[in-house]
Amino acid sequence: MEALNSTFLYCDQLVRDFEKVIKTPIVNKSAVYYTGIDLGTAYIVLAVLDENYQPVAGAYRFASVVKDGMVVDYIGAIRIVRELKQELEQKLGTELIYAAAALPPGTFTLDSGAIKHVVQGAGFEITNLLDEPTAANAVLKIKDGAIVDIGGGTTGIAILKDGKVIHVADEPTGGTHFSLVIAGAYKLSFDEADQYKRDFKNHRELTPVLRPVIEKVSSIINRHVADYQVKEIYLVGGTCCLEGIEDIIAKQTNLPTYKPQNPMFVTPLGIALNC
Ligand code: ATP
């Protein structure tokens, strides 16, 4: 389904600007910098905004330090965040002080302490710790509907009514499972399968292979939206980069389903906006 262009104007521009500064940072004289840290199952992403909340730098690294929203390699997580921080500080010629981070919905009591300590352990002053859908919606600015964040380890669902989150859930199916399906079907290692999946050239060919797992994600969405008269679904998260995933989800849920041009960086940018 076509993206709702007007809904995603701000989002698409912000993500495009962010993709540019990942490659070429903007060295300016901002009085303050805000860093958003997204500690994911598959990636750790740092997004840096200037005093006008414009992207100036960004970096990400493939990492297995978090599983289903839980930090499983605490030391490794601190090391990677610190390395990415130093890399960005070098590029920007300034110290990055303030950072915010986020957690999948429903895991606050489980792991907010660990995430906070990772951010502080890497040398940041933590200014905010929020839930991922709230972060994503700082970029999407949706009033009513469901934000579905299909990440690496999990699918997060947040239902919004009049701009307020009224229901959240986080279920253990995500891009990791997609890669496992490809590994099985093509007799590849997990890493090879994940790489194959991330190549946009392969998406068309992969659709029939991945259809059952996309249908499983759709059934999870259906279960959560059933009681809330949800009229629209908005997709974010790296797994939604998969071409055509929105069409299968729209068909399975019977709901218009939209996604921004690059759904992968929406949450990290939303975290930085809340710093
Ligand atoms: P979680 O939210 O579950 O903790 P995460 O924050 O690491 O995990 P994201 O960064 O949103 O999740 O998404 C990571 C997933 O997106 C991985 O499974 C990765 O393989 C997948 N992914 C990234 N780029 C693409 C792409 N171009 N095509 C298909 N899948 C992709």
Side-chain angles (χ1 to χ4, degrees):
M1 181 151 304
E2 273 288 291
L4 265 187
N5 283 336
S6 58
T7 304
F8 292 128
L9 267 183
Y10 170 68
C11 172
D12 285 342
Q13 186 61 51
L14 195 71
V15 173
R16 258 199 307 273
D17 290 346
F18 182 59
E19 287 173 322
K20 279 189 205 149
V21 301
I22 290 176
K23 291 193 188 104
T24 316
I26 297 173
V27 182
N28 61 9
K29 287 206 169 64
S30 180
V32 64
Y33 292 92
Y34 305 109
T35 305
I37 303 177
D38 191 1
L39 286 174
T41 310
Y43 296 98
I44 293 183
V45 185
L46 264 64
V48 185
L49 308 182
D50 67 9
E51 59 194 347
N52 300 313
Y53 294 96
Q54 294 304 310
V56 289
Y60 61 95
R61 178 124 18 117
F62 197 74
S64 333
V65 294
V66 172
K67 217 169 172 350
D68 303 343
M70 297 269 298
V71 179
V72 292
D73 177 2
Y74 184 66
I75 304 294
I78 292 179
R79 183 178 50 76
I80 295 173
V81 176
R82 191 183 290 141
E83 282 172 10
L84 292 174
K85 177 179 187 280
Q86 285 167 352
E87 182 187 313
L88 292 172
E89 286 175 338
Q90 238 167 34
K91 287 181 177 162
L92 290 171
T94 188
E95 191 191 354
L96 297 173
I97 299 167
Y98 305 110
L103 285 147
T107 58
F108 251 83
T109 45
L110 278 176
D111 219 30
S112 60
I115 301 254
K116 200 169 153 189
H117 289 125
V118 169
V119 175
Q120 289 170 331
F124 282 106
E125 207 170 289
I126 188 157
T127 58
N128 197 1
L129 190 59
L130 64 159
D131 67 89
E132 288 174 353
T134 302
N137 206 31
V139 179
L140 295 173
K141 299 179 186 295
I142 286 156
K143 290 245 175 300
D144 293 287
I147 297 180
V148 176
D149 180 351
I150 314 178
T154 60
T155 293
I157 298 162
I159 297 172
L160 288 114
K161 197 151 185 57
D162 301 325
K164 289 206 171 66
V165 177
I166 56 162
H167 173 77
V168 290
D170 201 49
E171 299 262 1
T173 304
T176 302
H177 306 83
F178 286 50
S179 301
L180 287 171
V181 168
I182 297 167
Y186 287 69
K187 310 273 177 280
L188 298 173
S189 70
F190 177 83
D191 287 347
E192 287 166 343
D194 201 76
Q195 205 179 339
Y196 196 77
K197 180 190 72 176
R198 281 185 271 124
D199 188 337
F200 287 89
K201 283 201 299 290
N202 301 325
H203 284 181
R204 200 170 288 260
E205 169 203 320
L206 286 172
T207 306
V209 179
L210 292 174
R211 185 175 288 271
V213 68
I214 301 173
E215 288 178 354
K216 184 179 175 209
V217 171
S218 306
S219 72
I220 291 172
I221 301 170
N222 270 332
R223 191 150 39 80
H224 287 283
V225 300
D227 295 335
Y228 296 94
Q229 282 112 39
V230 168
K231 295 201 177 67
E232 283 160 354
I233 291 171
Y234 297 87
L235 298 177
V236 296
T239 297
C240 297
C241 292
L242 208 69
E243 217 182 284
I245 191 171
E246 65 276 26
D247 298 329
I248 300 176
I249 293 176
K251 202 156 168 226
Q252 294 293 316
T253 58
N254 231 347
L255 289 171
T257 302
Y258 307 107
K259 74 174 184 185
Q261 275 174 14
N262 184 346
M264 174 140 165
F265 292 131
V266 174
T267 302
L269 284 165
I271 299 171
L273 285 170
N274 279 284
C275 180

